[in-house]
RNA sequence: GCUCGGGUGGUGGAAUGGUAGACACGCCAGACUUAGGAUCUGGUGCCGCAAGGCAUGAGGGUUCGAGUCCCUCCUCGAGCACCA
């Protein structure tokens, strides 16, 4: 059954097949199967009121091509779609209209579903999920309870980012340069009680896990930077005389002999104690100034350092030297120990500070290249000979730094560019066994003057922050940075004035939001005395559901303790209300709903009552909700068994699908979603909720952004927004899909062009005309293909297959265009017509399915197998060999593909034009690249 | 400032160290047409009548041969930004 179109009427063809795929559940995946499984995942969309953006189909088409390609290859493919539907816009709509956000959300989902379906994706719609569906967020809440139970969710009263515009707190990751990621509103620091997830406990595993997953480098780098692991030393500096010890953290203990002052953050606990009476006033003022500055100002004013001297000194544990203690706000209380040893010679910030306050700068590290940098041709050889021992070894250049694998170029070029890790290699490579140095021609070794290694010429410019060799560092002199770090750590630990330490930039994840439209946190608060009593009597229903350390906070002199809602009571539904606006004091709208808020709980059963009852005590509900990231942290698991009622994922389904084989989505989620989801996945793995894989996304890809035709980001205000519905109406879904893939490399930023889409539309129409005549009847196909077309077909099979595997869809489409251009001229056989459609189907499934059916083939082309190229058909009888003289093209000849170099030369000598370039010249060399190039090198 | 990733015709973009510009858009010419913003055919990097020369951000280097490898600089984009 096909449509009745005579021409390429995509408006009929596309809905026809979309309906059929839906009705027949063509792309339904079973949780078992004969074929190998393949799980293709798109980052699910937030169903905004704006409808589908033209950028959405880019990633979705890419994943759809893969899905259909894998179906054709006999895989059991899971390609699902769902909705990340909690979020701010729906809530703001609710605030504005007074209408429950679920209504608006549902409308948006309907629209998105319809739009996505109109693109003909091979999606299993039976597995559609919605994060705002209580049957879904039930399990989001369940995961939270497990985090709570395992001590990974706790409340904290530390300063958090507060955005008064959004009336909500934000996670560190959601704050960019002192403004909210969403909406770009200003944020400020505020002390609020908040739920926090202990993601820092997973810092090391989140780092290690990156090593063997196939992700874009930039995304890996971003996560590595965000986790910010550093190894260093915590060192004790004793306050003189006999004061307490200030612990500082440093990653550069090798520079400690250059420490000329010590800095405490203004919030450091020792500030009071170290300040001498005459400095007290000054310090007080400085601290209150620092406090007034927002974090934004503190970082914004980074150019100009500020600080005050405390009047006191501390003793350098390595050399006993007294160094002044300063207070300065360029040191952050939130990292390390909140105190640093400052080494101005080897740290830019310390240098800047020292310059401003006239503190001595003492160089203790020299760069080996400092000497190279200034050596001229006459001197460098001398320098070498002076440095190299008789046995060829080189004292100043320890072999440890001989690491990289570069080959050498010109000696001089090397000097300009060698960095510390490479210079040793250069030496070792250059020096012969006898101590001589071949690459350094003796002609340039002329100057007999003494080599002045101490002259100012060779000095490093300060601050010098790279690795190097130690000077002015007592017994550590001459060591490399690397070796010195080791030895100094050992020394510090032996004499117990320091210890090795690992620090992270990653902070715990601020997990609560003061919003209505989010998952309620399934926690109750009861008074400490009740909590303790229930535990002592061992009848608490939550006995084995709470962390080892009580989670509590104190308000108005009462300590409240967190207990979980019984798992069987999940989902904890959002209570109905008609006021969605958060209060401006940092409380969620839920806090206003007194009836819902104040309840009674039976501590032995976990039962909840709205009214007082015997055996029930009063409790308060947690009123914060979860951030939008919560639902997207585990949705890929829910797709595996979307209706499972017993657990978040059916263990059998999870064991079968394991984790997505391919994940595609925007690069804007590089740290947020992708870090949070990895954290939850590791946790779920640890508690045995899942078992198949420790990393959720083994292969990740970011599609690029599609810009407006003016090269700018699409935006309403610029008026360069392209509406996918209109494009589909005008050119069809196949054209849209094809065009977005043809635009350029998948990961590149590309400007949209309405003229460009005409090209792929013509391509599809030419295909139609090749198959169908003006009456809607199939064309008469050739009995046999032209040999060249046959070869081209096999080249096309090969190219399209390889390009799909490599995600190079633009060149795959170009190859299909080449094929059609040729086929149009000669005509094709029925067999070839069938094969070409199979190649086309993942890209333009509607027209392919239609023509497939018209050829009399069985539904559906997407399951009809994938053609394999015949290598023997690719062999050409004759090949073109390009003739070059000194690398310039001077002709070409057609020869048998098995021709030898001699035979080719013989033919070449007969080419008059070519010979013209050779006459009167002496042939120095002949370079023959088999079947491609004959290059004759001549002299004049 | 630091770290990455780019820079190729009028445009989007192709090119395992081996004929730079595939494919497409646009443009030019022609055909069919009452008509063409439909379709088809041919042409199209720049200079030059041609022979030929010049061309992948600029400059240098390695190589028989460089868009591709190395160095310096310019420039655009992304990320990070007092994390000691």
């Amino acid at each position: 059954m096909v449509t009745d179109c005579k021409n390429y009427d995509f408006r009929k063809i596309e809905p026809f097949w979309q309906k059929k795929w839906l009705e027949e559940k063509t792309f339904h995946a079973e949780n078992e199967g004969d074929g190998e499984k393949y799980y293709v995942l798109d980052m699910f969309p937030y169903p905004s009121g704006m409808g589908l953006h033209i950028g959405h189909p880019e990633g979705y088409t890419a994943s759809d091509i893969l899905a259909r390609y894998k179906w054709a290859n006999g895989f059991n493919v899971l390609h699902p779609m769902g909705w990340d539907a909690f979020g701010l816009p729906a809530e703001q709509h609710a605030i504005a209209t007074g209408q429950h956000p679920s209504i608006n959300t549902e409308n948006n989902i309907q629209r998105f579903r319809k739009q996505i379906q109109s693109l003909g994706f091979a999606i299993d719609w039976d597995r559609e999920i919605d994060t705002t569906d209580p049957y879904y967020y039930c399990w989001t809440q369940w995961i939270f309870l497990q985090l709570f139970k395992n001590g990974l969710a706790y409340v904290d009263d530390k300063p958090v980012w507060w955005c008064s515009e959004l009336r909500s707190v934000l996670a560190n990751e959601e704050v960019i340069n002192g403004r909210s990621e969403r909406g770009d509103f200003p944020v400020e620091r505020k002390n609020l009680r908040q739920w926090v997830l202990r993601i820092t406990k997973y810092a090391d595993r989140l780092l290690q896990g990156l090593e063997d997953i196939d992700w874009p480098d930039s995304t890996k780098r971003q996560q590595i930077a965000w986790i910010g692991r550093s190894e260093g030393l915590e060192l004790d500096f004793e306050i003189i005389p006999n004061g307490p010890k200030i612990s500082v953290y440093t990653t550069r203990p090798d520079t400690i002999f250059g420490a000329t002052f010590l800095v405490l953050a203004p919030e450091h606990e020792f500030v009071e104690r170290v300040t001498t009476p005459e400095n007290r006033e000054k310090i007080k003022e400085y601290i209150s100034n620092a406090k007034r500055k927002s974090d934004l100002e503190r970082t914004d004013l980074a150019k100009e350092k500020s600080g005050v001297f405390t009047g006191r000194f501390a003793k350098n544990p390595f050399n006993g030297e007294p160094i002044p203690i300063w207070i300065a706000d360029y040191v952050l209380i939130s990292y390390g120990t909140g105190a640093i040893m400052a080494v101005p010679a080897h740290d830019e910030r310390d240098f800047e500070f020292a310059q401003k306050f006239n503190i001595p700068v003492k160089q203790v590290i020299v760069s080996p290249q400092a000497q190279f940098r200034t050596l001229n041709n006459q001197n460098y050889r001398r320098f070498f000979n002076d440095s190299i021992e008789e046995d060829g070894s080189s004292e100043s250049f320890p072999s440890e730094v001989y690491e990289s694998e570069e080959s050498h170029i010109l000696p001089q070029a090397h000097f300009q560019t060698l960095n510390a890790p490479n210079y040793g290699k250069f030496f070792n490579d250059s020096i012969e066994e006898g101590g001589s140095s071949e690459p350094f021609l003796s002609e340039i070794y002329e100057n007999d003057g003494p080599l002045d290694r101490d002259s100012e010429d060779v000095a490093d410019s300060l601050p010098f922050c790279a690795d190097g060799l130690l000077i002015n560092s007592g017994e550590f002199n001459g060591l490399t940075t690397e070796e010195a770090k080791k030895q100094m750590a050992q020394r510090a630990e032996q004499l117990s004035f320091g210890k090795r330490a690992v620090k992270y930039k990653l902070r715990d994840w601020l997990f609560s939001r003061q919003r209505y439209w989010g998952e309620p946190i399934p926690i109750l608060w009861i008074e400490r005395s009740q909590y303790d009593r229930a535990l002592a009597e061992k009848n608490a229903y939550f006995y084995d559901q709470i962390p080892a350390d009580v989670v509590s906070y104190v308000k108005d002199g009462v300590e409240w303790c967190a207990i979980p809602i019984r798992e069987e009571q999940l989902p904890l539904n959002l209570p109905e209300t008609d006021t969605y606006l958060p209060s401006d004091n940092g409380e969620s709208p839920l806090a206003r709903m007194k009836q819902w808020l104040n309840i009674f709980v039976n501590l032995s059963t976990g039962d909840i009552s709205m009214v007082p009852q015997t055996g029930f005590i009063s409790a308060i509900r947690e009123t914060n909700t979860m951030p939008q990231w919560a639902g997207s942290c585990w949705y890929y698991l829910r797709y595996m068994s979307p209706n499972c009622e017993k657990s978040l994922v059916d263990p059998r389904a999870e064991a079968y699908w394991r984790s997505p084989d391919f994940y595609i989505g925007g690069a804007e989620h590089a740290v947020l979603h992708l870090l949070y989801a990895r954290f939850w996945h590791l946790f779920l793995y640890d508690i045995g909720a899942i078992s198949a894989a420790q990393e959720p996304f083994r292969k990740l890809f970011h599609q690029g952004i599609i810009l407006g035709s003016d090269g700018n980001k699409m935006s309403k205000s610029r008026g360069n927004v392209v509406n996918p519905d209109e494009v589909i109406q005008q050119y069809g879904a196949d054209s849209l899909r094809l065009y977005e893939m043809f635009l350029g490399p998948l990961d590149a930023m590309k400007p949209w062009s309405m003229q460009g889409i005409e090209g792929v539309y013509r391509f599809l129409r030419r295909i139609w005309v090749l198959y169908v005549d003006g009456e809607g009847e199939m064309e008469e196909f050739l009995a046999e293909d032209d040999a060249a077309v046959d070869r081209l077909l096999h080249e096309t099979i090969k190219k399209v297959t390889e390009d799909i595997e490599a995600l190079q869809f633009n060149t795959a489409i170009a190859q299909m265009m080449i094929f059609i251009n040729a086929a149009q001229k000669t005509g094709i056989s029925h067999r070839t017509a069938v094969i070409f459609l199979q190649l086309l189907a993942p890209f333009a499934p509607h027209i392919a399915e239609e023509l497939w059916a018209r050829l009399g083939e069985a539904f559906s082309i997407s399951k009809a197998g994938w053609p394999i190229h015949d290598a023997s058909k690719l062999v050409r009888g004759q090949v073109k060999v390009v003739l070059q003289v000194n690398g310039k093209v001077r002709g070409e000849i057609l020869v048998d593909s098995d021709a030898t170099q001699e035979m080719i030369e013989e033919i070449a000598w007969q080419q008059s034009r070519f010979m013209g370039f050779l006459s009167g010249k002496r042939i120095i060399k002949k370079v023959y690249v088999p079947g491609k190039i004959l290059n004759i090198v001549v002299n004049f």
Side-chain angles (χ1 to χ4, degrees), chain A residues 556-659:
Chain A
D556 301 331
V558 180
E559 184 178 8
W560 296 91
C561 301
I563 58 169
I565 280 173
R566 254 185 31 218
E567 287 180 13
E568 300 77 52
Q569 291 169 357
L570 298 179
L572 171 59
N573 287 307
L574 268 171
E576 294 295 324
T577 178
D578 50 10
T579 47
Y580 305 102
L581 189 68
S583 59
D584 51 14
N585 63 357
E587 284 205 325
S588 149
L590 300 184
R592 276 199 299 263
M593 303 169 62
K594 301 296 179 204
Q595 263 211 315
W596 179 81
L597 185 65
N598 297 299
I599 50 151
F600 302 88
V601 59
N602 182 319
L603 291 189
S604 59
T605 64
D607 291 342
I608 286 170
S609 168
M610 305 299 283
V611 293
Q613 283 186 43
T614 323
F616 284 64
I617 63 151
S618 67
I620 305 172
R621 288 188 192 273
E622 171 60 48
T623 59
N624 285 314
T625 54
M626 301 187 199
Q628 197 186 348
W629 312 110
S632 59
C633 272
W634 68 282
Y635 73 110
Y636 57 94
L637 294 169
R638 193 63 186 168
Y639 282 138
M640 297 173 181
S641 54
N643 301 314
C644 181
E645 290 180 2
K646 292 200 178 78
S647 53
L648 80 163
V649 56
D650 174 5
R652 281 179 51 207
E654 196 256 337
Y656 178 71
W657 293 110
R658 302 182 63 84
S659 65

Side-chain angles (χ1 to χ4, degrees), chain A residues 711-783:
Chain A
N712 290 308
K713 227 178 148 176
M714 285 193 191
S715 72
K716 265 191 196 162
S717 57
R718 285 208 178 85
N720 59 358
V721 176
V722 177
N723 181 341
D725 291 342
E726 287 170 16
V727 176
I728 291 171
Q729 177 56 30
Q730 201 175 343
Y731 297 101
D734 280 340
S735 288
L736 177 56
R737 294 169 57 116
L738 214 48
Y739 180 57
E740 294 211 0
M741 295 301 99
F742 186 59
L743 217 42
L746 189 57
D747 55 356
M749 264 195 195
K750 303 152 286 223
W752 177 269
S753 155
M754 268 305 177
Q755 281 173 333
I757 197 170
E758 287 275 0
V760 295
Y761 176 61
R762 279 178 212 155
F763 167 61
L764 291 177
R765 214 168 32 193
R766 283 209 305 274
I767 294 170
W768 183 269
V769 172
L770 184 64
Y771 282 74
V772 183
D773 67 20
E775 298 305 312
E777 299 299 320
M778 293 314 273
E779 291 282 0
E780 292 276 323
F781 290 105
L782 302 178

Side-chain angles (χ1 to χ4, degrees), chain A residues 632-698:
Chain A
S632 59
C633 272
W634 68 282
Y635 73 110
Y636 57 94
L637 294 169
R638 193 63 186 168
Y639 282 138
M640 297 173 181
S641 54
N643 301 314
C644 181
E645 290 180 2
K646 292 200 178 78
S647 53
L648 80 163
V649 56
D650 174 5
R652 281 179 51 207
E654 196 256 337
Y656 178 71
W657 293 110
R658 302 182 63 84
S659 65
D661 297 278
F662 182 77
Y663 192 26
I664 183 165
E668 66 274 17
H669 294 116
V671 274
L672 294 157
H673 158 63
L674 288 168
L675 190 66
Y676 297 151
R678 292 181 60 223
F679 163 43
W680 278 31
H681 192 96
L682 280 170
F683 169 70
L684 291 173
Y685 182 86
D686 287 350
I687 63 169
I690 54 172
S691 62
Q694 287 208 41
E695 278 291 332
F697 313 121
R698 289 200 315 281

Side-chain angles (χ1 to χ4, degrees), chain A residues 293-429:
Chain A
K293 280 193 219 170
S294 68
D295 274 43
L296 177 63
E297 285 171 311
R298 247 170 96 163
T299 49
D300 239 21
L301 296 173
K303 303 128 206 161
E304 190 66 6
K305 292 273 179 294
S306 69
V308 270
F309 178 46
T310 60
R312 222 179 283 278
F313 292 79
K315 201 164 81 184
N316 184 329
F318 270 88
N319 58 13
E321 273 177 30
I323 56 174
I325 304 171
W326 287 68
I327 312 285
D329 66 4
Y330 81 93
V331 173
L332 307 177
I333 189 65
S334 51
Y335 183 80
T337 60
I340 62 160
M341 63 174 212
V343 185
H346 306 294
D347 182 279
E348 269 177 44
R349 297 147 303 177
D350 298 345
F351 185 77
E352 217 180 294
F353 193 86
Q355 293 272 293
K356 179 159 178 187
F357 294 102
N358 261 322
I359 300 169
V361 177
K362 180 181 167 196
Q363 181 171 8
V364 291
I365 307 286
V366 285
S367 70
Q369 310 97 298
Q371 317 190 37
F372 291 162
R373 203 176 289 146
T374 54
L375 281 177
N376 54 25
N377 283 351
Q378 279 72 42
N379 276 334
Y380 78 86
R381 173 61 183 262
R382 174 179 180 75
F383 176 64
F384 269 56
N385 286 359
D386 281 358
S387 314
I388 307 307
E389 305 294 309
E390 295 213 351
D391 61 356
S393 76
S394 155
E395 206 186 355
S396 348
F397 307 102
S399 57
E400 291 92 334
V401 288
Y402 176 69
E403 282 169 351
S404 97
E405 291 295 324
E406 317 233 10
S407 60
H408 35 242
I409 328 169
L410 269 191
Q412 295 96 321
H414 249 97
F415 285 159
Q416 285 155 18
T417 58
L418 275 180
N419 52 23
N422 277 335
Y423 75 87
K425 171 175 179 64
F426 178 59
F427 271 60
N428 286 2
D429 277 0

